[in-house]
Amino acid sequence: MTVPGRRSSTFIRLLRSGFTDPSAAARLLDAEALAAVRADPVLLDALGATADPDLALLGLVRLAEAQPSGELPGFLDTLVSAKPLRDRLLGVLGASEALADHLARHPRDWLTLVTYEAADLHPGLPEFERGLADAHDPVALRVAYRRCLLSIAARDVCGTIDVAETAAELADLATATLRAALRIASAAAPEDAAQCRLAVIAMGKCGGNELNYVSDVDVIFVGEAVNGTDEGKGIQAATRLASHLMRICSETTVEGTIWPVDANLRPEGRNGPLVRTLASHIAYYQRWAKTWEFQALLKARAVAGDPDLGGQYIDAITPLVWQAAERENFVPDVQKMRRRVVDNIPAAQVDRELKLGPGGLRDVEFAVQLLQLVHGRSDATLHSGTTLDALHALAAGGYVGRADAAQLHDAYRFLRAMEHRIQLYRLRRTHLVPEDESDLRRLGRSMGLRTEPVAELNKAWRRHASVVRRLHEKLFYRPLLDAVAQLTPGETRLSPRAAGQRLEALGYADPAAALRHLEALASGVTRKAAIQRTLLPVLLGWFADSADPDAGLLGFRKVSDALGKTPWYLRLLRDEGAAAENLARVLSAGRLAPDLLMRAPEAVALLGDPGGLQPRTHEALEQEVMAAVGRAETAEAAVAAARGVRRRELFRTAAADIIGSYGTEENPAEEDHGALVDRVGGAVSDLTAATVAGALRAAVHSHYGDTLPTRFAVIGVGRFGGHELGYGSDADVLFVHEPREGVDEQEAAKAAQTVIAEMRRLLQLPTADPPLLIDADLRPEGRSGPLVRTLSSYAAYYRRWSLTWESQALLRAEPVAGDADLGSRFIELVDPLRYPMEGLGDDAVREIRRLKARMESERLPRGADPTLHTKLGRGGLSDVEWTVQLIQMQHAWAEPGLRTTRTREALAAAHAAGLIPTDEAQILDEAWVLATRVRNAVMLVRGRAGDTFPSEARELAAVGRYLGYAEGTVGEMLDDYRRITRRARAVVDELFYGA
């Protein structure tokens, strides 16, 4: 009798044995079928040792209740007296609900677990073939298959075989199953079997002898006609046999399915014929196959059907596999394959993906396979289809560091073991780590983690995934450093030829130069060289991720040579996680940013400061520039200091732009491209304004001391006034002055002209810093008019002579330097011109349209593609800006939101006012942002301004990478540009030309 309020001793014992629902377990133990053994302590201990005692007990009761009449006593007696059987059977029942279901349907199959002999411990293909020999139809084959699978699972969960042996046995069972399915298909259609020879080639994990419990079995079929049969008829017969084989394995019956047979790795995939002749296969691989197809063929293995034909296929394709690294597109193909394909994984599942997620099984498998392709052409020891065997061979040959290989080996085995246990539970094809606590508990206990199974499992999984993430890139690069550093005598290392092959495969155009750079950086026993050897494996991967790895590595060597003796440089890269990756991105994205950095390498510190890439305010910039100018003793020194600030801030802006566009491992690429464009335009415009202000102060001080005889202001126009300057833009300005009281007007004009001439001279002095060109061609009368006017002269001119295009140019006028009051009064003067009351008359609209049409026909450079010219081409910057400006001149008098110098701001205001429909506003904005980004990209990549896409392939690819296009997709980029700007031009035709 149990005392009220106290739990029974059975309840407590069940709890201690690992049951999560002791009450339900007690009821199951009371089942009539277990009456003879329920008190046996051995049984309870054995149940408690399983992955899920509750599941094991439930399965045991179902199996006992299903025993045929008269066989239950023998089953129970064997269960309690034979420990090997008890451990195997209960181990399976506690790990696999699906196999428990099978045993309940086929209650005598437990007898397959009774024998415990040497052949039973490690069965091979012959044993599995014998196990399936009596299956003559798909249903019987499924039952026999599950019976064999039961024996593999039993050895697996009891630790008789390890994860690699389990995967090999599963592959052997799959091979035996394919042979049995082909036997059944041939028996069903003997006339087809008589007309052809058919070979089944296993691919993927089956071909590599490393199959999962539940996986598609990838195959390729090779067929030949026999006995004088017409080839077409022979291949048709082989196709019917192959199709029947696939259905036998894949279709669902009363006994479920086995696994899908997937033939999509065949030439041309789903679009190609299911069965080809050997000659057809060879012709395809010699002429049309892509690198990934040769990567897949690494695991090809003849497993069923005609052994001679299968052997001929393997003999024919093997040389082609190991010559793949010599093919023309190998490097870009490898770069594509090296990038993780996680785009198609739902965001909620990425962190639970064992196979495709970061640090997953695919990372290890791809890294190993690519190294095999690169080095296997000259080393036959690497010709293995099994991941762990290939990894061992790579380490033995010095292609992978031994310590790295050992860590990767352990991580891969752990992740594969997790995958096996997850799939074994319900025999479902999945690579997702479960979220449910009970599922995680069972999974952890099945992996031998018994104290805190869930916590221990998560900790071990994250640790191993982190190892894979960290090593999967270093795997490529660390041996390169060992090859050039040569620190450990006797250690197997890459030969110079092998190192060059690897660098070439990873996208380095000049492997010999790259190896010289690595040797210069990493050789020796100094602390600096040791830190470089730690950093370079990761940096080389980031360089290889760009369009120009060679430039990235060369730039890194130059920066390191310049800063190597400073105590903070290498420490910054080693300890500040973001700094090294940021530097790699900046150095390999083009010429502009590295050129700016090399003129003042200490600016690399900005890359490690969390706020270092944020644009500085106009006020902060002007304050710094003015302070530097004030400290200088000469005008030349003053402007040199101002230009030094400008160079540093241009680097800050370019680096932030590159990193935001490329993204990093921690922070994905900026999705709001408009925000990127606005940040660059605002930062460069503010910086230019501060530089102009500094040059003005220096020019005045050198000629007139503290006070100029005339008030003087600089008005920004064009992109300068619109806060839309690019990296290579000139500064479009107007100059206005107003004589101080008592100063002769001629004297004032001469002073203003002197200051302008001095500013221009100072800003264009040849120095290491980029020059700043000041362009005043938008002034009244253009180049024919005076360079500077008084405010009253401007008023008189505009009142009498002003043309429509001049009013349009004033839409982006904004004071940027000099006398603030004078600048404000200039804006008050021009507001009625640019925002005319009641808008523009018909004549003025026609004049603007005529000017625009003339500009399109006359100013586009000869030979330029009008569909790709960002400024004057179809749907480019000019189209969008003139459309927006026409709307401003027509409606800004009534809509205050349109009174802005910024294109995107004015476009948004026009949409908010109902002047442009939503779709059309978005189309114009998208085109303007894209064209602006292309111009910025061209400057970043080439180091000089340009209005169209580069023609040189590597530069074009770099522009594509900046814009977010993967390697090898520049055609897609150009097509997208044409499509987006074509749509914009249609809107321009409607809104601007009234078409």
Side-chain angles (χ1 to χ4, degrees):
M1 169 177 171
T2 302
V3 177
R6 296 184 60 185
R7 290 175 171 171
S8 69
S9 59
T10 303
F11 184 98
I12 293 172
R13 188 173 179 202
L14 289 168
L15 201 61
R16 287 176 176 169
S17 295
F19 288 87
T20 58
D21 189 349
S23 299
R27 288 193 295 274
L28 287 171
L29 283 170
D30 285 339
E32 184 179 344
L34 296 187
V37 296
R38 72 168 60 100
D40 194 317
V42 170
L43 176 62
L44 204 56
D45 289 343
L47 286 166
T50 65
D52 188 338
D54 302 81
L55 185 66
L57 178 55
L58 175 61
L60 179 61
V61 171
R62 292 175 64 204
L63 176 58
E65 291 175 342
Q67 288 303 304
S69 177
E71 296 188 16
L72 179 61
F75 165 68
L76 294 176
D77 182 59
T78 309
L79 179 69
V80 296
S81 62
K83 184 178 189 309
L85 167 77
R86 186 169 61 247
D87 290 343
R88 287 173 161 203
L89 177 60
L90 295 182
V92 168
L93 292 174
S96 179
E97 186 181 79
L99 288 176
D101 291 342
H102 171 83
L103 284 167
R105 287 196 308 275
H106 304 279
R108 302 198 76 231
D109 276 5
W110 68 272
L111 291 167
T112 61
L113 303 180
V114 172
T115 54
Y116 200 72
E117 299 169 357
D120 177 60
L121 292 180
H122 297 288
L125 182 56
E127 287 77 19
F128 290 126
E129 286 195 277
R130 282 197 295 272
L132 303 179
D134 294 333
H136 299 295
D137 61 71
V139 173
L141 182 61
R142 280 152 178 70
V143 175
Y145 174 83
R146 291 287 167 92
R147 191 180 299 126
C148 293
L149 191 67
L150 177 67
S151 69
I152 296 175
R155 287 188 295 279
D156 179 15
V157 298
C158 291
T160 307
I161 53 178
D162 65 17
V163 66
E165 291 169 319
T166 301
E169 287 193 16
L170 289 166
D172 283 343
L173 176 55
T175 298
T177 305
L178 289 169
R179 292 180 180 182
L182 182 56
R183 169 171 49 80
I184 294 170
S186 298
E191 64 285 356
D192 283 342
Q195 293 185 70
C196 67
R197 300 160 64 204
L198 177 66
V200 184
I201 311 298
M203 304 286 285
K205 283 186 162 51
C206 183
N209 282 298
E210 50 187 16
L211 198 61
N212 303 329
Y213 275 102
V214 187
S215 173
D216 291 358
V217 171
D218 296 310
V219 299
I220 286 176
F221 295 109
V222 189
E224 298 286 352
V226 296
N227 299 332
T229 304
D230 174 74
E231 182 177 287
K233 290 184 178 179
I235 294 301
Q236 287 174 1
T239 300
R240 286 191 291 270
L241 285 177
S243 299
H244 193 188
L245 177 154
M246 294 175 72
R247 291 196 303 275
I248 289 169
C249 296
S250 305
E251 286 182 348
T252 301
T253 70
V254 291
E255 286 293 336
T257 184
I258 302 178
W259 19 246
V261 176
D262 188 341
N264 289 336
L265 291 177
R266 66 186 184 269
E268 298 181 80
R270 294 180 182 177
N271 298 321
L274 183 64
V275 181
R276 287 175 183 257
T277 64
L278 178 60
S280 176
H281 276 283
I282 294 171
Y284 174 84
Y285 288 123
Q286 286 177 335
R287 187 170 184 185
W288 303 110
K290 298 181 173 62
T291 300
W292 71 263
E293 293 179 276
F294 292 110
Q295 182 187 7
L297 287 168
L298 278 171
K299 295 181 178 293
R301 181 169 62 95
V303 293
D306 189 295
D308 290 337
L309 181 57
Q312 290 170 22
Y313 175 88
I314 297 299
D315 290 343
I317 60 102
T318 298
L320 300 177
V321 170
W322 303 112
Q323 292 163 12
E326 298 166 10
R327 292 164 61 89
E328 182 180 353
N329 292 320
F330 181 73
V331 171
D333 287 348
V334 167
Q335 288 177 325
K336 281 186 219 172
M337 290 189 292
R338 276 182 46 250
R339 298 188 181 100
R340 290 190 205 95
V341 185
V342 295
D343 295 349
N344 296 325
I345 306 174
Q349 296 181 357
V350 169
D351 291 338
R352 295 166 49 221
E353 252 285 353
L354 270 179
K355 181 178 179 180
L356 299 177
L361 293 162
R362 180 62 60 86
D363 278 355
V364 182
E365 292 160 0
F366 264 40
V368 168
Q369 289 162 22
L370 294 180
L371 288 176
Q372 285 180 276
L373 286 177
V374 171
H375 299 296
R377 49 183 158 167
S378 57
D379 188 344
T381 66
L382 305 181
H383 296 188
S384 170
T386 307
T387 301
L388 290 175
D389 291 349
L391 181 59
H392 176 75
L394 286 165
Y399 304 104
V400 172
R402 288 185 183 276
D404 290 348
Q407 284 187 284
L408 217 53
H409 174 273
D410 292 346
Y412 186 73
R413 288 172 65 94
F414 182 87
L415 296 173
R416 283 301 303 271
M418 278 185 72
E419 183 182 43
H420 280 182
R421 297 293 195 272
I422 290 168
Q423 293 184 349
L424 180 59
Y425 175 46
R426 286 192 173 134
L427 290 181
R428 289 181 183 168
R429 182 174 178 266
T430 179
H431 308 285
L432 290 179
V433 178
E435 295 179 290
D436 182 76
E437 186 84 5
S438 62
D439 289 337
L440 288 169
R441 181 176 184 272
R442 180 182 56 258
L443 179 58
R445 284 172 61 93
S446 76
M447 303 279 290
L449 308 171
R450 297 301 173 94
T451 309
E452 293 286 345
V454 176
E456 291 175 45
L457 174 70
N458 281 322
K459 183 177 179 182
W461 170 35
R462 300 299 180 193
R463 184 180 76 250
H464 285 298
S466 174
V467 165
V468 174
R469 258 198 316 272
R470 191 178 72 248
L471 289 183
H472 127 266
E473 285 289 356
K474 291 185 180 179
L475 208 62
F476 292 95
Y477 302 109
R478 190 173 279 159
L480 293 169
L481 301 176
D482 293 341
V484 298
Q486 300 182 355
L487 290 178
T488 311
E491 178 78 15
T492 305
R493 59 173 61 90
L494 289 181
S495 66
R497 178 169 177 248
Q501 286 175 338
R502 185 173 303 189
L503 282 165
E504 192 174 349
L506 293 162
Y508 288 83
D510 189 348
L515 282 172
R516 288 196 299 273
H517 297 324
L518 291 179
E519 186 172 6
L521 289 163
S523 293
V525 294
T526 64
R527 179 175 172 276
K528 181 174 81 170
I531 296 176
Q532 289 281 23
R533 286 193 293 274
T534 302
L535 291 169
L536 277 165
V538 187
L539 287 166
L540 285 168
W542 286 324
F543 294 146
D545 224 11
S546 74
D548 196 348
D550 301 79
L553 180 56
L554 173 61
F556 181 69
R557 181 181 175 184
K558 288 179 177 178
V559 173
S560 296
D561 287 347
L563 294 177
K565 294 182 180 178
T566 60
W568 56 267
Y569 167 64
L570 290 174
R571 188 170 65 241
L572 171 81
L573 298 184
R574 184 191 62 193
D575 298 340
E576 296 293 337
E581 184 177 4
N582 288 346
L583 179 61
R585 299 294 182 213
V586 166
L587 290 176
S588 56
R591 296 179 185 173
L592 179 66
D595 286 350
L596 292 168
L597 180 60
M598 289 314 302
R599 290 165 183 161
E602 65 277 1
V604 77
L606 296 173
L607 302 175
D609 180 356
L613 298 180
Q614 295 300 315
R616 298 176 67 202
T617 65
H618 176 260
E619 292 74 16
L621 289 169
E622 187 163 316
Q623 185 176 9
E624 181 182 2
V625 167
M626 290 305 192
V629 168
R631 288 191 298 269
E633 295 184 0
T634 65
E636 288 77 7
V639 173
R643 288 171 66 180
V645 173
R646 178 170 178 264
R647 178 227 312 125
R648 184 197 66 215
E649 295 304 320
L650 275 175
F651 173 74
R652 187 198 307 271
T653 304
D657 188 16
I658 291 165
I659 293 161
S661 296
Y662 271 70
T664 63
E665 291 186 358
E666 293 297 322
N667 299 301
E670 172 76 66
E671 292 184 5
D672 186 350
H673 296 157
L676 274 175
V677 164
D678 290 344
R679 276 202 295 275
V680 171
V684 177
S685 299
D686 286 346
L687 176 56
T688 302
T691 307
V692 169
L696 175 59
R697 170 73 62 87
V700 170
H701 189 75
S702 67
H703 287 271
Y704 296 98
D706 293 334
T707 306
L708 188 66
T710 185
R711 293 183 179 85
F712 187 88
V714 184
I715 310 297
V717 289
R719 299 195 174 282
F720 190 9
H723 298 262
E724 296 161 0
L725 284 180
Y727 299 109
S729 301
D730 295 347
D732 289 319
V733 298
L734 300 176
F735 297 113
V736 57
H737 77 104
E738 186 177 66
R740 296 187 184 277
E741 192 173 340
V743 176
D744 178 69
E745 192 162 315
Q746 284 190 330
E747 180 188 346
K750 182 180 178 183
Q753 289 166 352
T754 300
V755 165
I756 293 168
E758 181 68 354
M759 284 173 65
R760 287 177 137 179
R761 182 185 74 84
L762 292 170
L763 289 171
Q764 294 178 48
L765 283 173
T767 70
D769 298 311
L772 174 58
L773 300 178
I774 292 179
D775 186 340
D777 288 353
L778 291 176
R779 65 188 183 269
E781 301 179 78
R783 294 182 181 178
S784 303
L787 196 57
V788 60
R789 291 174 181 262
T790 62
L791 188 61
S792 58
S793 175
Y794 274 108
Y797 176 85
Y798 288 139
R799 188 166 54 246
R800 188 171 181 185
W801 303 109
S802 177
L803 300 173
T804 304
W805 74 262
E806 291 174 310
S807 298
Q808 183 182 352
L810 291 170
L811 282 168
R812 296 207 276 186
E814 182 172 291
V816 293
D819 190 293
D821 176 66
L822 181 59
S824 297
R825 285 189 284 133
F826 180 87
I827 296 302
E828 290 174 10
L829 169 68
V830 301
D831 271 351
L833 289 166
R834 55 183 181 174
Y835 311 134
M837 206 62 170
E838 303 297 333
L840 292 174
D842 291 343
D843 289 345
V845 171
R846 277 195 297 273
E847 176 65 12
I848 289 176
R849 289 172 176 167
R850 188 187 63 78
L851 282 171
K852 175 75 170 72
R854 179 181 165 194
M855 185 174 73
E856 288 176 14
S857 64
E858 295 180 1
R859 292 186 57 189
L860 190 70
R862 181 176 297 176
D865 183 345
T867 67
L868 293 176
H869 198 279
T870 59
K871 183 176 181 181
L872 300 174
R874 180 194 67 190
L877 296 171
S878 175
D879 271 1
V880 178
E881 288 165 2
W882 280 61
T883 301
V884 171
Q885 289 162 12
L886 180 60
I887 291 172
Q888 286 181 283
M889 297 184 75
Q890 287 176 313
H891 300 283
W893 66 275
E895 291 292 341
L898 289 169
R899 298 172 201 165
T900 174
T901 62
R902 305 175 191 226
T903 302
R904 296 189 71 221
E905 205 173 276
L907 181 58
H911 169 248
L915 301 171
I916 304 180
T918 300
D919 289 350
E920 295 185 351
Q922 289 175 344
I923 288 169
L924 292 179
D925 186 68
E926 182 183 20
W928 189 89
V929 168
L930 177 58
T932 303
R933 292 196 78 215
V934 171
R935 291 182 98 205
N936 285 344
V938 169
M939 184 66 186
L940 285 169
V941 168
R942 302 173 66 194
R944 61 183 189 274
D947 288 319
T948 191
F949 289 87
S951 56
E952 199 275 320
R954 184 160 276 200
E955 291 179 346
L956 186 61
V959 169
R961 293 302 312 281
Y962 170 88
L963 295 177
Y965 289 86
E967 185 77 23
T969 59
V970 294
E972 181 184 331
M973 170 182 70
L974 298 177
D975 288 345
D976 285 348
Y977 183 87
R978 289 187 171 105
R979 175 180 53 81
I980 290 167
T981 53
R982 183 174 62 247
R983 293 168 64 208
R985 178 61 188 212
V987 175
V988 170
D989 285 341
E990 178 189 342
L991 297 179
F992 183 82
Y993 286 111

